[in-house]
């Protein structure tokens, strides 16, 4: 039985290749995701080990606000130089160096723009001398306050050189000019560590620009004396400095930094695995259809096996063995492709991060296990139903010309209705916010069940819909035949179309959601923001672009300007809960520009020690006018504020507003956005160039009119949508393979029928047109299902997000039309090989074909 199965397998190489490709592509995503995360993980293990190589023990003050990887850089508060002296006095300390190191120092390159960083920090530090890790390659150390040294990677990125006068932006002060007096590199001939850009000042200037307080540091680097272990020195130093500090060994810092990065990387890994799941779901339809057709074509062969003694278990084993063989081959090829894709993505990440030196490519056990587990399981599960069908073939079928009759659709329709109902229930539960911590899993489960349910219901509607679509081509004999062929087997047509439906439904659903969000936000911004000009920049790293607060005062003095408001923001702990807080340079201007309406108290003016709350925030925290609440900012000590006003909630006004005096304790005490309202009769074209001139020293931001600003913010959604569409294109490619596979096997199944048609006068061109019509009808049917299901799912999500501000439902009619048009093209492309094969059939041989 095994020999017979293997011979049958080798006799049908083409169908195995086509069905196996679906598994290959899905496995490629799975193994590629694991290879990528393993390579980058080991890369950053090495990077952080090098970064802390010269540190035995590190001392830093406890952060006042805990920040996650996705919220920005964690900033350690400064402490006085006496702490450095305390550490030096600890027995076992050979050397203790006060260090200033904070993110946010941006060099202005030769092109007049700030050198961007897409992830790695942009550190401003004090020069503490050369070490085993840091070595000057050109020039000397900084001696004057207007001198800096930079790492070679930053010099290359900014296209600057030794002796050049450059501008530097820092979190606490506006642009300042410095002379580059030195360029340094790192051990191992590296130009940067992990793609970081580093600018080193004299210690007093670093304290002023990066910490805002003279005579302070934010960490102490400690070297142990001979014979003293890092762990024992750590404990001794911790005892000396007290509970207000975090003391760790260099090895601990390296491990924790690497783990933090891996946690952030795992999010990206889950995204890739999600797209792999979609590809494998589509591939399941393809494999199921392939094995169903194979079983139908081998009815007589399988019946003969039953007649000569094969039992039902052996019949099931025969089909499952074929599936295992396909799964094994596809898993091997998918793993190889995944290794290549993982290496390519790691290389792209390294270049995006500024020429990151990657660790050697490795294939973790998770990639291998995942590849074979997924490839085998998906293929075998998809083949189980056809295997059961094969076991039910009676031996008598070997003695007659058997045509596989259509079975009733009652069972599959009932099953489809039940599964769809389960999917709808899960979606309602998840989108309604009733799933607790399992909201995402519930929604994804609902989408999965919905897709499977619709796929099970598809045979019920395939015949009438396909007949209707085929009517477009019914003006010719080949068109009529293609229409009839596409509807002759509803199950087969439905499964083939369902594969395409999944990909297009996901693309359509995501498009509906993002377009609706974009329209809602744009509309709300148009209605809410009353400013004529907006100062802002595009954030490309963990810190937003900022500008000099003096720009606001100068802009207010421009003729024709009526109101100016600068916006500040930071993470804080308010009443024991972490939350985002805002501050405004002019509270009265903010109220008018954003149309803020009071619900209680006074919201026009905020003095020291006072704050405003949105109505939603006040209700959630059970606060009212006159309530007091403690607030801890990134700097300074906890301060008690009094609620003096409550305003109507809005997407653009935040939940907690502090007075401008609080900004000095923000991590970034510079405005991130500015709003300018013109006096009646003033022209934007007259005022905008004058504001642009004020921003000459702030190259990260620009000024635009309100419409351009809103469009710029909304356009970020388009980039996200494009990325998702590219990744989901893989599912559509697999669906196209499914159409090719179905048609190829269908042509083989109908060899005798095609020979008879040719014998009675159907020409080669007409035969090819008939196959093409069949393919186009099936693909357009799948696309039509996809846009309907996707639009429905997208509309459901938008409805559930009404309370979050997504009030507009936008159906992308033009894109849905494009999808249908592309589906027709896909059908034509998918039909090429099967149509050529059908046209080349030998008429006499086909008539005699059994």
């Amino acid at each position: 039985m095994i020999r017979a199965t293997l011979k049958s397998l080798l006799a049908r190489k083409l169908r195995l290749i086509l069905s196996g490709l679906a598994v290959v592509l899905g496995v490629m995503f799975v193994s590629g995701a694991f290879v990528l995360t393993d390579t980058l993980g080991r890369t950053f293990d090495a990077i952080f080990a090098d970064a802390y190589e010269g540190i035995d023990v590190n001392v830093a003050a406890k952060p006042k606000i805990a920040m996650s990887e996705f919220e920005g850089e964690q900033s350690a508060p400064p402490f006085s130089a006496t702490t450095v002296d305390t550490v030096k006095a600890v027995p076992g300390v050979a050397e203790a160096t006060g260090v200033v190191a904070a993110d946010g120092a941006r060099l202005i390159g030769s092109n007049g723009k700030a050198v961007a960083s897409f992830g790695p920090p942009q550190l401003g530090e004090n020069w503490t001398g050369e070490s085993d890790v840091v070595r000057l390659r050109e020039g000397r150390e900084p001696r004057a306050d207007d001198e800096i040294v930079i790492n070679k990677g930053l010099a290359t990125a900014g296209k600057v050189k030794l002796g050049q006068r450059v501008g530097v932006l820092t979190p606490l002060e506006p642009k300042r000019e410095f002379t580059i007096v030195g360029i340094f590199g790192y051990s191992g001939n590296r130009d940067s560590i992990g793609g970081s850009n580093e600018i080193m000042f004299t210690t007093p200037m670093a304290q002023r620009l990066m910490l805002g307080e003279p005579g302070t540091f934010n960490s102490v680097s400690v070297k142990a004396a001979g014979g003293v272990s890092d762990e024992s020195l750590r404990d001794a130093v911790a005892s000396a400095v007290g509970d207000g500090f975090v003391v760790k060994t260099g090895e601990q810092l390296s491990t924790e930094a690497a783990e933090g990065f891996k946690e952030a990387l795992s999010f990206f890994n889950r995204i890739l695995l999600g797209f792999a799941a979609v590809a494998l779901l589509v591939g399941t339809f393809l494999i199921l259809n392939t094995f169903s057709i194979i079983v139908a074509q081998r009815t007589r062969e399988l019946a003969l096996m039953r007649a000569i003694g094969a039992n039902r278990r052996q019949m099931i084993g025969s089909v499952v063995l074929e599936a295992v063989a396909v799964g094994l081959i596809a898993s091997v090829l998918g793993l190889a492709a995944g290794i290549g894709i993982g290496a390519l993505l790691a290389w792209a990440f390294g270049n995006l991060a500024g020429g990151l030196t990657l660790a050697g490519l490795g294939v973790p056990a998770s990639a291998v296990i995942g590849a074979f587990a997924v490839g085998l399981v998906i293929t075998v599960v998809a083949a189980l139903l056809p295997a059961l069908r094969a076991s039910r073939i009676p031996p008598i079928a070997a003695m007659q010309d058997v045509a596989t009759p259509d079975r009733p659709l009652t069972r599959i329709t009932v099953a489809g209705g039940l599964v769809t109902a389960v999917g709808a229930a899960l979606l309602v539960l998840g989108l309604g916010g009733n799933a607790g911590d399992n909201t995402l899993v519930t929604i994804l489960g609902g989408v999965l069940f919905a897709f499977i349910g619709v796929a099970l219901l598809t045979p019920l509607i395939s015949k009438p819909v396909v007949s209707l679509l085929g009517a477009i081509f019914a003006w010719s004999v080949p068109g009529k035949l293609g229409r009839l062929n596409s509807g002759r087997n509803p199950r087969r047509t439905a499964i083939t179309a369902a594969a395409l439906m999944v990909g297009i439904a996901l693309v359509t659903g995501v498009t509906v959601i993002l377009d609706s969000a974009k329209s809602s936000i744009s509309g709300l911004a148009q209605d809410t923001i009353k400013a004529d000009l907006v100062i802002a920049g595009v954030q490309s790293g963990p810190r937003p672009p900022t500008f000099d607060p003096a720009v606001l005062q100068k802009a207010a003095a421009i003729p024709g300007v009526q109101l100016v408001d600068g916006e500040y923001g930071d993470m804080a702990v308010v009443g024991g809960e972490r939350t985002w807080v805002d501050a405004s340079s002019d509270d009265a201007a903010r109220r008018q520009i954003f149309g803020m309406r009071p619900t209680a108290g006074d919201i026009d003016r905020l003095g020291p020690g006072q704050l405003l709350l949105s109505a939603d925030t006040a209700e959630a925290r059970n606060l009212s006018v006159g309530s007091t609440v403690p607030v801890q900012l990134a700097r300074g000590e906890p301060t008690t504020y009094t609620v003096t006003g409550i305003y109507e909630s809005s997407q653009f006004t935040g939940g907690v507003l502090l007075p401008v005096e609080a900004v000095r304790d923000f991590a970034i005490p510079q405005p991130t956005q500015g709003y300018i309202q013109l006096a009646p009769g003033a022209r934007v074209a007259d005022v905008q160039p004058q504001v642009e001139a004020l921003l000459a020293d702030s190259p990260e931001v620009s000024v635009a009119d309100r419409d351009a600003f809103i469009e710029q913010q909304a356009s970020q959604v388009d980039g996200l949508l494009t990325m998702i569409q590219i990744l989901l294109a893989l599912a559509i490619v697999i669906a196209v393979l499914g159409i090719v596979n179905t048609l190829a096997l269908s042509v083989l199944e109908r060899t005798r029928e095609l020979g008879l048609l040719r014998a009675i006068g159907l020409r080669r061109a007409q035969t090819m047109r008939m196959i093409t019509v069949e393919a186009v009808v099936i693909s357009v049917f799948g696309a039509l299902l996809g846009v309907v299901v996707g639009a429905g799912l997208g509309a459901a999500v938008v409805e559930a997000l009404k309370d979050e501000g997504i009030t507009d439902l936008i159906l992308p009619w033009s894109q849905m039309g494009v999808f249908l048009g592309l589906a027709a093209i896909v059908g034509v492309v998918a039909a090429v090989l099967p149509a050529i094969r059908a046209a080349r059939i030998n008429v006499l041989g086909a008539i005699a074909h059994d």
Side-chain angles (χ1 to χ4, degrees):
M1 195 69 187
I2 293 175
R3 286 198 299 271
T5 300
L6 292 177
K7 285 185 178 180
S8 173
L9 194 66
L10 295 173
R12 299 171 176 86
K13 300 180 184 67
L14 178 62
R15 78 184 182 203
L16 296 178
I17 292 172
L18 290 172
S19 57
L21 273 176
V23 183
V24 168
L25 294 172
V27 169
M28 177 184 72
F29 251 137
V30 173
S31 54
F34 286 118
V35 169
L36 172 66
T37 52
D38 176 75
T39 301
L40 293 183
R42 287 184 294 102
T43 296
F44 278 88
D45 280 341
I47 287 171
F48 291 123
D50 290 341
Y52 296 106
E53 181 182 349
I55 300 174
D56 294 328
V57 173
N58 185 79
V59 181
K62 289 182 179 178
K64 296 182 182 295
I65 308 293
M67 302 280 281
S68 72
E69 292 288 333
F70 297 99
E71 292 172 335
E73 291 291 324
Q74 181 74 68
S75 58
F79 49 79
S80 69
T82 58
T83 301
V84 181
D85 297 332
T86 301
V87 174
K88 285 181 179 178
V90 174
V93 172
E95 183 181 339
T97 305
V99 176
V100 176
D103 191 13
R106 292 95 70 203
L107 179 81
I108 299 175
S110 296
N111 61 358
K113 297 181 180 180
V115 178
S117 172
F118 298 94
Q122 297 176 294
L123 296 173
E125 303 164 272
N126 64 323
W127 175 259
T128 58
E130 293 183 296
S131 66
D132 293 338
V133 178
V134 175
R135 289 286 176 185
L136 281 169
R137 293 185 184 174
E138 301 177 57
R140 57 172 175 82
E141 75 280 356
R143 296 169 186 159
D145 285 347
D146 68 340
E147 295 178 344
I148 58 173
V149 295
I150 63 175
N151 65 349
K152 179 63 175 177
L154 178 56
T156 302
K159 297 181 179 179
V160 295
K161 58 186 179 180
L162 195 69
Q164 187 171 336
R165 196 76 174 167
V166 296
V168 176
L169 304 172
T170 56
L172 303 180
E173 289 194 16
K175 172 187 167 185
R176 295 179 64 94
E177 296 284 337
F178 294 88
T179 300
I180 300 174
V181 298
I183 295 175
F184 63 91
Y186 306 88
S187 57
N189 199 33
R190 292 167 298 167
D191 294 341
S192 70
I193 293 183
S196 298
N197 297 329
E198 295 186 59
I199 302 175
M200 294 191 181
F201 310 89
T202 61
T203 295
M205 185 55 67
Q207 291 169 337
R208 173 180 173 178
L209 297 180
M210 304 310 298
L211 301 181
E213 298 179 36
T216 60
F217 301 92
N218 62 352
S219 71
V220 182
S221 176
V222 184
K223 287 190 176 180
V228 179
S229 70
D230 294 351
E231 289 74 16
S232 62
L233 183 60
R234 175 197 62 196
D235 297 340
V237 171
S239 177
V241 297
D243 294 336
F245 293 84
V246 178
V247 184
K248 296 179 180 178
T249 65
E251 185 178 351
Q252 281 181 297
L253 290 173
S254 174
T255 301
E256 290 177 6
E259 289 301 321
F261 172 80
K262 289 176 183 177
E263 182 180 348
L265 187 62
S266 67
F267 175 76
F268 181 64
N269 190 38
R270 286 193 290 270
I271 292 176
L272 287 179
L273 291 176
F275 285 106
V278 172
L280 290 167
L281 175 62
V282 175
T284 301
F285 288 114
L286 193 162
I287 298 165
L288 174 62
N289 210 23
T290 300
F291 277 92
S292 296
I293 297 172
I294 289 171
V295 169
Q297 290 177 353
R298 295 172 58 199
T299 298
R300 178 169 288 187
E301 175 189 332
L302 295 172
L304 283 170
M305 288 186 180
R306 289 295 311 279
I308 62 176
N311 57 37
R312 293 185 65 178
R313 182 177 298 176
Q314 288 176 311
M315 301 304 295
I316 294 174
S318 172
V319 177
V320 170
L321 181 59
E322 285 196 36
V324 169
V326 172
L328 279 173
I329 295 170
S331 296
V332 171
L333 296 176
L335 176 60
I339 293 171
I341 289 294
L344 180 64
L345 289 174
W347 173 83
F349 183 93
N351 280 273
L352 187 64
L356 194 65
T357 302
L358 297 173
L361 183 68
V363 183
S366 56
V368 178
I369 294 170
F372 284 95
V374 168
L376 282 172
V377 169
I378 291 296
T379 311
V380 172
V381 168
L384 279 178
L385 282 177
L388 291 172
R389 199 172 303 146
S391 70
R392 297 191 183 108
I393 295 174
I396 194 67
M399 303 177 187
Q400 54 188 345
D401 189 11
V402 178
T404 306
D406 285 341
R407 288 166 290 142
L409 300 175
T410 306
R411 289 184 181 178
I412 197 171
T413 302
V414 171
L418 291 174
V419 174
T420 304
V422 171
L426 289 174
L427 286 171
V428 169
L429 190 66
L431 296 174
N434 300 314
D437 295 335
N438 300 313
T439 298
L440 181 60
V441 174
T442 303
I443 292 174
L444 292 177
V447 171
L448 177 62
F449 275 94
F451 279 141
I452 295 174
V454 171
L456 291 173
L457 290 172
T458 302
L460 184 67
I461 61 173
S462 66
K463 198 159 189 175
V465 175
V466 164
S467 180
L468 186 63
L469 291 173
I472 300 172
F473 307 96
W475 50 270
S476 66
V477 172
K480 290 178 182 178
L481 291 172
R483 170 192 177 189
L484 294 172
N485 287 334
S486 58
R488 71 198 293 180
N489 193 324
R491 293 172 185 266
R492 183 181 302 176
T493 299
I495 295 174
T496 306
L500 187 60
M501 177 265 292
V502 172
I504 290 182
L506 287 173
V507 172
T508 303
V510 170
T511 304
V512 169
I513 296 167
L514 294 183
D515 281 358
S516 298
K518 179 179 175 181
S519 174
S520 299
I521 294 171
S522 298
L524 184 60
Q526 290 283 2
D527 295 338
T528 303
I529 301 175
K530 306 303 180 185
D532 297 292
L533 292 169
V534 180
I535 301 171
V538 178
Q539 186 168 346
S540 60
R543 291 177 177 267
T546 60
F547 58 94
D548 186 355
V551 169
L552 300 170
Q553 300 172 358
K554 295 175 182 178
I558 296 174
V561 172
Q562 180 171 300
L563 296 172
V564 176
D565 175 40
E567 296 298 311
Y568 303 78
D570 201 6
M571 186 66 72
V573 176
V574 180
E577 297 181 27
R578 286 190 333 117
T579 187
W580 187 262
V581 297
D582 296 290
S584 175
S585 63
D586 188 329
D587 300 306
R590 182 188 181 101
R591 176 181 176 180
Q592 293 188 49
I593 288 174
F594 287 98
M596 295 172 62
R597 291 191 287 268
T599 61
D602 179 18
I603 66 170
D604 279 334
R605 298 290 175 190
L606 270 178
Q610 299 176 338
L611 62 76
L612 305 179
L613 298 175
S614 68
D616 288 347
T617 303
E619 181 181 359
R621 294 173 179 258
N622 195 27
L623 298 172
S624 59
V625 173
S627 298
T628 58
V629 58
V631 176
Q632 174 64 68
L633 297 171
R635 302 168 185 270
E637 299 304 317
T639 303
T640 299
Y641 285 81
T642 301
V643 179
T644 58
I646 298 174
Y647 53 90
E648 289 184 3
S649 301
S650 166
Q651 297 288 329
F652 295 94
T653 51
V656 180
L657 300 183
L658 298 178
V660 70
E661 290 81 7
V663 167
R664 65 176 178 269
D665 288 331
F666 280 21
I668 305 177
Q670 291 184 336
T672 56
Q673 290 183 331
Y675 299 90
I676 301 173
Q677 189 179 87
L678 304 183
R683 298 191 331 141
V684 168
D686 295 333
V687 177
Q688 186 171 347
Q690 298 180 66
V691 178
E692 287 174 348
L694 297 177
L695 295 170
D697 288 340
S698 302
E700 292 181 307
V701 299
S702 60
V703 61
D705 62 62
R706 181 181 62 176
D707 293 341
F709 167 73
I710 293 172
E711 178 60 30
Q712 179 192 56
Q713 299 302 307
S715 65
Q716 297 178 34
V717 174
D718 296 332
L720 175 62
L721 179 60
T722 301
M723 182 189 73
I724 293 173
Q725 288 175 338
I726 290 172
L727 289 172
L728 286 175
L730 176 65
I732 296 175
V733 169
I734 295 175
V736 173
L737 290 175
I739 297 172
V740 174
N741 206 16
T742 299
L743 289 174
L745 293 172
S746 180
V747 166
L748 183 63
E749 182 182 48
R750 289 152 43 198
T751 299
R752 188 174 185 182
E753 174 188 322
L754 291 170
L756 288 170
L757 288 171
R758 291 292 312 284
I760 62 175
L762 194 69
R763 297 189 300 274
R764 285 190 173 184
Q766 289 177 313
T767 303
M768 295 177 69
R769 197 154 66 243
M770 176 184 71
I771 300 297
T772 302
V773 167
E774 185 176 349
V776 169
V777 169
I778 292 173
S779 59
V780 171
F781 174 50
L784 185 62
L785 275 177
V787 296
V788 171
V789 172
L793 289 174
V797 173
V798 170
E799 178 65 26
L801 294 176
K802 268 191 174 180
D803 293 339
E804 304 299 324
I806 302 181
T807 54
D808 297 345
L809 174 60
I810 303 299
L811 296 178
W813 296 108
S814 59
Q815 291 193 43
M816 290 192 288
V818 169
F819 292 154
L820 293 175
L822 288 176
I825 296 173
V826 162
V828 173
V829 173
V832 170
L833 291 177
I836 292 174
R837 184 171 183 176
R840 289 178 176 173
I841 286 177
N842 180 284
V843 176
L844 294 178
I847 294 173
H849 180 79
D850 189 4

